[in-house]
Amino acid sequence: MAFAAVERLIAFRYLRARREEGFISVIAGFSLIGITLGVGTLIVVMAVMNGFRVEMLSQMSSISGQLGVQGNRGAIEATPDLLKRLAEVPGVVTAAPSVEGQLMAVAGDRVRGVVVRGMAAQDLRNRLPVASAIEGPPDVQSRQRGLCRGEDDKPIDWGSLKNFGDDDFTVAIGRRLADLMGVKVGDRLQLVSPVSIATPLGVMPRSVSAEVAAIFCTGMYDYDANFVYAPLAEVQRLLNLGPDVTGIEIFVADGASVPQTRRLVSTVVGSQGWVFDWLQANVGFFAAIQAQTNVMFLVLTLIVLVAAFNIVSSLVMLVRTKTADIAILRTMGASRAAILRIFLLDGLAIGGIGTILGVVLGLAFARNIEALRQWLQRTFDIVLFDETLYLLAEIPSRIEWGEVAVIAMMALVFALLASLYPAARAARLDPVEGLRRE
């Protein structure tokens, strides 16, 4: 729809209301503010939800791999030949055997259920979210450790993975678990297995005293408060698995297709087990995130819709106050279509300015949401993002430019639809009747 220069001149002059028409400007201003806040809030919320989904996926896949192999009966024998054939699959970076089980951790008078994951020392070093806080580059190490600041914010000994897997039973535990159990590097942690063993005193659960060799921080509370990493052979003995493992974790190259790699891995595994990806392993979790994202988008869209339709009231009042002007324009030769375009342009101007301000405001908040959260917490001594509830140490934010464009276009469409009725009413005005009223 093309607007003539004279139509643009008249439309923008109408938006600059005279003193006696100040109330119309107030309503139009509230409409503009409403659209700005609605669009900005929608962009921020969608960025945070996208960031949460992507960050959780990235952390999970970088710790446990994009693909996993499990035996048909719970355990699988990870023979060197099988591991070699899996590593040779196109798109596979590494294939690492692991043993995972639920145990009881005891330190003094503190007891807590934990998940023990056994793996080779080199495989643990390759888990960057786990190993970065212990042996990563200085800048990465500093950032990872900053994700798990203690309440007193005192420096701690993070230990080393140098002796991990040596003669003594050594483990790496999460920073939050270390705080909960009251242990530090060098302390002993008693691990009690549900697997029983016959002794002269009767059947007793297997247990072992492990030395805390390192403390890690992934930035995910679930891992930092519940996971214990131990040498593969020691966990196999503790769980009485023999040479078997509970799974093989497969890491896929960045540019490779996960579904295609999964089919190739399934061919190699054959009838020995079944292959699953990260989505199958966490389908309920990510389905809940998607449902929350959809609901939030719908609710905030209604806010933008209500703000946009406030334009109706401001334009209706504008049409009533400009009845004589409209009649004069019609007698001077202006067509109904020209009058229609003038008032449509007024509505689009309000919606367009509000949308632009909303996009700028939303992008500014989305890019600095974590810094703003930190400032508010320090200033008012409140907790705005509880990592024990949201599982992450920082508020994630990921701006999807396609979504920003959709939100902006949606707001403009709402503004256009809200302008149709007042503009059509102005176009239908009879010039004779309009002059007679005045």
Side-chain angles (χ1 to χ4, degrees):
M1 180 184 296
F3 297 96
V6 66
E7 294 169 358
R8 294 195 298 270
L9 176 65
I10 296 173
F12 292 132
R13 182 179 291 272
Y14 282 174
L15 287 179
R16 298 193 298 269
R18 297 191 299 269
R19 181 176 300 179
E20 62 271 15
E21 299 169 355
F23 186 65
I24 299 175
S25 295
V26 171
I27 297 177
F30 278 119
S31 302
L32 187 146
I33 293 173
I35 294 174
T36 298
L37 294 178
V39 170
T41 304
L42 189 52
I43 289 175
V44 171
V45 170
M46 296 306 296
V48 170
M49 295 301 292
N50 290 332
F52 189 81
R53 173 177 53 81
V54 172
E55 185 67 18
M56 292 294 290
L57 169 60
S58 175
Q59 291 279 25
M60 289 179 178
S61 61
S62 60
I63 293 175
S64 302
Q66 291 87 350
L67 297 175
V69 179
Q70 286 188 345
N72 293 323
R73 297 183 178 179
I76 184 173
E77 185 176 359
T79 62
D81 178 65
L82 176 60
L83 296 176
K84 180 181 178 182
R85 287 188 290 121
L86 288 174
E88 292 174 349
V89 172
V92 172
V93 177
T94 58
S98 66
V99 174
E100 185 174 301
Q102 294 184 345
L103 278 72
M104 192 75 70
V106 182
D109 58 350
R110 302 187 184 186
V111 181
R112 182 177 176 84
V114 297
V115 177
V116 173
R117 180 172 288 181
M119 60 178 56
Q122 187 57 46
D123 291 333
L124 179 58
R125 292 187 179 95
N126 291 336
R127 304 296 191 274
L128 295 182
V130 177
S132 293
I134 306 171
E135 297 181 343
D139 55 337
V140 178
Q141 189 180 77
S142 177
R143 182 187 181 280
Q144 286 295 121
R145 293 180 178 181
L147 297 176
C148 295
R149 297 185 183 91
E151 293 182 0
D152 52 6
D153 206 19
K154 292 182 178 179
I156 67 167
D157 181 9
W158 295 84
S160 172
L161 296 176
K162 186 178 300 183
N163 297 323
F164 184 85
D166 289 349
D167 296 336
D168 194 13
F169 195 129
T170 54
V171 296
I173 66 175
R175 170 67 190 273
R176 301 308 181 195
L177 180 61
D179 293 341
L180 291 170
M181 300 299 294
V183 297
K184 59 184 182 298
V185 171
D187 290 347
R188 309 295 297 189
L189 193 66
Q190 192 77 16
L191 298 176
V192 182
S193 169
V195 179
S196 59
I197 182 175
T199 69
L201 300 177
V203 178
M204 302 287 288
R206 288 176 180 263
S207 66
V208 64
S209 177
E211 178 186 351
V212 178
I215 295 176
F216 64 84
C217 172
T218 65
M220 296 179 63
Y221 187 85
D222 190 37
Y223 283 91
D224 297 333
N226 297 298
F227 273 68
V228 174
Y229 285 89
L232 178 63
E234 300 291 351
V235 180
Q236 285 175 318
R237 282 196 293 269
L238 190 59
L239 297 178
N240 196 27
L241 289 176
D244 294 341
V245 297
T246 57
I248 301 175
E249 299 173 351
I250 298 176
F251 291 82
V252 180
D254 292 338
S257 170
V258 174
Q260 182 179 356
T261 306
R262 179 188 171 191
R263 288 191 293 269
L264 295 175
V265 170
S266 298
T267 303
V268 173
V269 174
S271 60
Q272 299 179 66
W274 63 285
V275 183
F276 60 92
D277 58 28
W278 59 267
L279 183 58
Q280 287 178 305
N282 304 279
V283 60
F285 179 77
F286 286 102
I289 292 179
Q290 188 60 48
Q292 290 179 350
T293 302
N294 294 337
V295 171
M296 294 296 291
F297 184 85
L298 178 61
V299 171
L300 294 174
T301 298
L302 293 178
I303 295 177
V304 178
L305 181 62
V306 171
F309 273 88
N310 282 335
I311 297 174
V312 176
S313 57
S314 61
L315 289 186
V316 167
M317 295 183 65
L318 182 62
V319 170
R320 291 182 63 88
T321 59
K322 300 297 182 181
T323 299
D325 293 6
I326 297 170
I328 293 172
L329 288 171
R330 288 298 310 281
T331 57
M332 293 176 63
S335 64
R336 292 180 183 271
I339 301 299
L340 178 71
R341 288 193 294 269
I342 288 173
F343 286 93
L344 282 180
L345 187 55
D346 281 333
L348 285 175
I350 297 173
I353 295 172
T355 299
I356 293 173
L357 293 177
V359 169
V360 173
L361 185 67
L363 293 177
F365 269 83
R367 289 182 179 277
N368 300 280
I369 188 69
E370 175 59 22
L372 180 62
R373 193 266 297 193
Q374 295 283 1
W375 178 79
L376 290 173
Q377 289 192 163
R378 289 194 302 268
T379 304
F380 299 102
D381 194 23
I382 56 176
V383 177
L384 296 177
F385 189 79
D386 188 356
E387 63 176 322
T388 62
L389 178 62
Y390 297 103
L391 305 180
L392 295 176
E394 295 180 343
I395 298 180
S397 178
R398 180 184 176 87
I399 298 172
E400 297 285 351
W401 294 104
E403 285 186 350
V404 173
V406 169
I407 293 170
M409 289 301 299
M410 179 185 65
L412 290 175
V413 169
F414 287 164
L416 177 62
L417 294 176
S419 306
L420 284 176
Y421 170 72
R425 182 173 175 178
R428 290 196 305 267
L429 184 66
D430 183 11
V432 176
E433 183 66 21
L435 290 174
R436 186 181 64 82
R437 290 179 183 177
E438 294 297 322

